[in-house]
Amino acid sequence: MTRCSGISRVLAAGAAAVVSTLAFHMPSRAGFTPEQLAGFEVTHLRGEVNAVLPKQKVIEVIDPEGHLEIVTVGIDMAPLRLRKGDRVDVSLLDGLVVDLERSTATTLSFDREDIIMPMDMGPLKKGMRMALASGTARVVKVSASDRSLSLMGPLGGIHNLDVVMPSGDDLFPALQAGDLVDFRLIQPVAVGIDRIATAAATAGASTSQPLLSSRADRRTSLKAELLEAFELSQVQGTLLQYEPDQQVMELKSPYGHTLLITMGGGLKTAGVRNGDEVIVDVLDGLVVDLSKGSASSLSFNREDVILSEDFGEVRKGARVAMGTGTAEVVKISEEDHELSLRGPFGGVHNLDVRPGLNGDPLAQLKLGDFVSFRSIQPIAIGIRPAR
């Protein structure tokens, strides 16, 4: 689960909270600069419409990970005739943090202010409605290398956000999972929406990704250049089960789905039990082979390998899980080389795609494509109880 981010998850849960949050309107000055706007990235997302407010130019979308996202719509909504239950492909400008400070508050809060664009700014035109959000939130994931983080707000929702380069003191390098922060951010803005005719994919059945591989271990080495493409992240979640002898754990992330993590060896796990809230330092999952496929069904195979030499902070003899199979593309972030794949068990895998893959497949893909892939699953290099 890399930057699971790229997409801003709004702080909203439940119909009453959504209606009050969406309907609030207070036109004001923009409150951000063209330089901050340049930090936006266009991401492509497939999801299901949960609510439509044409007058407010706002829709609520259930994203591939199953939680709600409020999106301000920067185009004419009338021709779309969107209704609840429609499946859509959305091109949007991702949520962007423009102010971030360590908070002295002990409670979480959220406020939203609608703004009217005073001038053209790239794809955002004069007179277009946008939304600014501010408040206090808890950090649940930090990705230092690409300056993205995930924030949990008072209503249980998650923001996956980019942090624009600050002009003053830079708080970001000192942030850790569990910290409380005061923030101001620009919420996601849709710049293109296409309705799709395919039925919603059903969440995978009663099966789940196997915790242990049924294949025999084999010894292998990983190319050193792969390490450069890995991203070091901190993620806070609930430990569902772990097998210290097998060097593998299963974590329930703040987004509600499970994450299989292999343990890089030498981890101090004394006193860690199932059900504990923990913070894990991970090398995020990485796609090393990717090609557009002709398959119309999803598949997954897992193979455990034992490292025959050190791989960065992962020691020789550590178990690493390799995943292969076919999956559906549900989110594309070309600029950050990130991809979200829906697998056969209903889960969504947020992965980095190693730059330099033959044919630059990321640029050739679109939402809904089936791909064949080979990936290294996340590797834990540290674990400790959450505060």
Side-chain angles (χ1 to χ4, degrees):
M1 183 178 63
T2 74
R3 221 181 103 193
C4 300
S5 78
I7 299 290
S8 169
R9 313 286 190 238
V10 257
L11 305 173
V18 168
V19 170
S20 62
T21 303
L22 295 185
F24 183 70
H25 170 53
M26 182 188 295
S28 69
R29 61 185 180 83
F32 56 91
T33 67
E35 290 75 20
Q36 290 172 328
L37 184 67
F40 266 118
E41 173 197 343
V42 176
T43 298
H44 308 282
L45 168 72
R46 173 163 289 194
E48 180 178 327
V49 175
N50 189 63
V52 182
L53 282 77
K55 291 183 180 179
Q56 284 77 23
K57 301 277 285 183
V58 168
I59 61 174
E60 184 183 62
V61 176
I62 301 175
D63 76 0
E65 292 166 315
H67 53 264
L68 303 177
E69 179 172 350
I70 296 172
V71 178
T72 306
V73 180
I75 58 176
D76 185 7
M77 291 179 62
L80 298 173
R81 298 180 180 176
L82 292 176
R83 295 180 297 178
K84 182 176 180 177
D86 284 346
R87 294 271 286 168
V88 291
D89 290 346
V90 185
S91 299
L92 52 79
L93 297 175
D94 276 352
L96 187 71
V97 173
V98 293
D99 285 313
L100 188 68
E101 298 178 352
R102 198 177 297 279
S103 180
T104 58
T106 57
T107 58
L108 306 184
S109 64
F110 176 78
D111 189 24
R112 178 180 169 193
E113 177 185 8
D114 281 357
I115 62 176
I116 303 299
M117 292 294 296
M119 65 185 76
D120 290 352
M121 287 176 126
L124 304 178
K125 304 305 177 185
K126 181 178 180 179
M128 185 179 293
R129 182 191 300 269
M130 289 189 63
L132 287 176
S134 59
T136 301
R138 184 180 305 279
V139 177
V140 294
K141 183 168 186 266
V142 183
S143 298
S145 58
D146 65 1
R147 297 184 62 83
S148 68
L149 52 78
S150 297
L151 301 178
M152 177 176 288
L155 300 176
I158 302 292
H159 291 268
N160 293 319
L161 301 159
D162 290 326
V163 179
V164 75
M165 187 66 70
S167 55
D169 293 337
D170 188 2
L171 170 65
F172 196 88
L175 281 179
Q176 295 183 350
D179 287 347
L180 291 181
V181 293
D182 295 325
F183 66 90
R184 187 166 67 100
L185 61 90
I186 306 167
Q187 292 192 260
V189 185
V191 294
I193 302 177
D194 294 316
R195 183 189 278 112
I196 55 177
T198 56
T202 56
S206 54
T207 56
S208 61
Q209 185 176 169
L211 186 65
L212 299 177
S213 172
S214 59
R215 290 186 165 190
D217 293 331
R218 62 180 176 85
R219 292 197 169 266
T220 190
S221 60
L222 298 176
K223 295 180 180 178
E225 55 267 27
L226 288 178
L227 189 62
E228 297 177 2
F230 266 109
E231 174 192 335
L232 180 62
S233 300
Q234 284 183 351
V235 62
Q236 182 172 346
T238 303
L239 191 61
L240 295 183
Q241 55 180 325
Y242 79 107
E243 299 284 347
D245 293 341
Q246 301 295 331
Q247 298 180 356
V248 66
M249 70 178 77
E250 187 177 33
L251 192 74
K252 184 176 181 180
S253 79
Y255 317 102
H257 59 265
T258 59
L259 178 67
L260 178 71
I261 305 177
T262 52
M263 299 158 65
L267 295 188
K268 297 178 181 178
T269 59
V272 175
R273 299 180 179 86
N274 291 344
D276 285 354
E277 192 77 7
V278 295
I279 296 171
V280 184
D281 299 320
V282 298
L283 292 174
D284 275 350
L286 181 73
V287 172
V288 293
D289 287 308
L290 183 70
S291 61
K292 188 173 179 178
S294 57
S296 58
S297 61
L298 305 181
S299 64
F300 178 82
N301 293 298
R302 179 178 162 204
E303 177 184 5
D304 286 354
V305 298
I306 302 299
L307 291 185
S308 56
E309 57 187 44
D310 291 348
F311 182 66
E313 297 185 58
V314 185
R315 302 292 88 180
K316 176 181 178 180
R319 181 188 300 269
V320 175
M322 305 288 292
T324 62
T326 57
E328 179 192 5
V329 177
V330 292
K331 188 174 77 178
I332 302 173
S333 183
E334 294 180 20
E335 193 170 312
D336 289 317
H337 298 279
E338 292 174 355
L339 194 66
S340 293
L341 303 177
R342 188 194 303 278
F345 306 116
V348 173
H349 304 270
N350 299 314
L351 299 164
D352 286 331
V353 177
R354 178 172 62 88
L357 288 183
N358 291 337
D360 191 14
L362 198 62
Q364 312 301 320
L365 293 175
K366 63 181 186 300
L367 297 178
D369 282 347
F370 282 83
V371 295
S372 299
F373 69 93
R374 185 166 65 99
S375 65
I376 302 169
Q377 297 197 257
I379 306 170
I381 58 175
I383 181 172
R384 58 196 178 280
R387 289 180 296 228

